[in-house]
Amino acid sequence: MKPSEPVRNGRYGETFFSPEAAGEGERIDFGALAYDDITLARLRALGAGPGWRCLDVGAGTGTVSRRLLEEAGAASVLAVDRDVRFLAARAVPGLEVREADITGADFAPGGFQLVHARFVLMHLPEHERLIGVLAERVAPGGVLVLSDAVDLTSDRTPDTPYTSVMRAMWRGLRSTIGTDVSWVPSYPHLLRGAGLEPVAAEIHVPPLQPGSPISRFWADTWERSRQAMVATGLVDDAAVDAAVRYLGSDACAALSAGMLTAWGWKPEEGPAAGS
């Protein structure tokens, strides 16, 4: 098989995973079903609740934003995304929706007790700069919480239909839209470098089971990024099809990509000079 030349300099949501594509909102919601309970438990453990003003960056279909309001009792949530069609369709009291690009110079809301971004920075360049930008949006005494994927398919992971396709997916997405999860384990260090302290992190790996939300998420993600995966030369269409069948079978014995969540606190402001 001769691989085709991959598209370069693309963006998430444009080259692949366009909100306009049929079923994209459902794909995002499969990911939410796999990760939202873990995310909400962590945010609430960090104190998110009544009186908190929250910023949810790259809010997608708004599941985390709405649960912060409805379950945690946050005072307000500003949900930001480059395309807000899914957010606008599911409005609830206390939810403010804003269409914005966090990589732009005009992204300047601030003063939030919680700033949260999940599966966002892994798709963007200048991650270190953007962590600094998000840290500036946190009010003194508030917390920045970042979650992104960590690849668990190392060179020593047994070869299965799943691992072959996952390796091709990460390589294909990196060459086309710049997705890069290699730096995600550096989150605690980068948060500390942005002036936040203390910092901490944890990893959650949802189980791959036939018909589970995470299995359906990966199968759908592979279908939508199939062109980039095949272009790597690591897999062909038959291999992708085999991996989708493998995910839906009892023969599946693999680890999903993990979700690393890291957080850091902005120090409280000291007393004014002369006070």
Side-chain angles (χ1 to χ4, degrees):
M1 178 187 64
K2 181 178 180 180
S4 58
E5 185 66 22
V7 178
R8 297 187 184 278
N9 300 318
R11 298 185 73 182
Y12 181 97
E14 296 176 0
T15 309
F16 297 107
F17 314 119
S18 169
E20 298 177 352
E24 177 60 14
E26 184 179 26
R27 185 188 74 90
I28 295 172
D29 281 345
F30 282 142
L33 286 169
Y35 293 111
D36 272 8
D37 286 347
I38 296 298
T39 293
L40 262 293
R42 171 46 54 197
L43 297 182
R44 296 185 74 170
L46 292 171
W52 278 45
R53 184 168 179 250
C54 307
L55 171 62
D56 191 15
V57 176
T61 60
T63 56
V64 171
S65 297
R66 291 191 299 275
R67 290 182 68 173
L68 280 168
L69 291 164
E70 297 170 345
E71 297 177 29
S76 66
V77 177
L78 173 59
V80 172
D81 210 305
R82 288 196 299 118
D83 189 306
V84 298
R85 71 188 68 199
F86 300 131
L87 292 165
R90 308 181 193 183
V92 295
L95 179 64
E96 179 185 352
V97 174
R98 184 176 303 177
E99 190 165 277
D101 187 341
I102 68 167
T103 65
D106 58 346
F107 179 72
F112 298 92
Q113 283 77 39
L114 167 67
V115 175
H116 170 255
R118 187 178 73 181
F119 303 136
V120 176
L121 297 187
M122 60 188 271
H123 299 298
L124 298 173
E126 300 185 288
H127 48 268
E128 188 167 355
R129 181 185 72 82
L130 291 175
I131 288 174
V133 168
L134 294 179
E136 291 175 359
R137 309 282 78 83
V138 182
V143 63
L144 172 59
V145 182
L146 304 175
S147 295
D148 265 319
V150 283
D151 179 18
L152 300 180
T153 56
S154 69
D155 292 340
R156 300 192 64 175
T157 306
D159 287 329
T160 67
Y162 171 84
T163 53
S164 296
V165 168
M166 284 297 281
R167 289 167 183 153
M169 183 198 73
W170 292 125
R171 183 180 297 185
L173 293 181
R174 184 167 184 172
S175 68
T176 54
I177 62 175
T179 299
D180 182 4
V181 299
S182 65
W183 57 272
V184 173
S186 300
Y187 265 167
H189 176 76
L190 294 175
L191 289 170
R192 186 68 181 83
L196 305 179
E197 60 176 9
V199 301
E202 62 190 358
I203 294 177
H204 173 67
V205 182
L208 291 172
Q209 298 172 314
S212 66
I214 193 61
S215 294
R216 297 179 70 180
F217 172 82
W218 287 124
D220 201 357
T221 298
W222 295 342
E223 291 292 353
R224 293 169 189 271
S225 58
R226 181 183 289 254
Q227 177 186 355
M229 294 158 62
V230 171
T232 66
L234 297 175
V235 295
D236 56 15
D237 282 315
V240 178
D241 293 339
V244 171
R245 291 193 299 270
Y246 182 77
L247 266 185
S249 74
D250 289 332
C252 183
L255 288 173
S256 176
M259 179 180 73
L260 184 145
T261 298
W263 58 92
W265 296 89
K266 176 167 283 190
E268 295 276 6
E269 292 180 340
S275 63

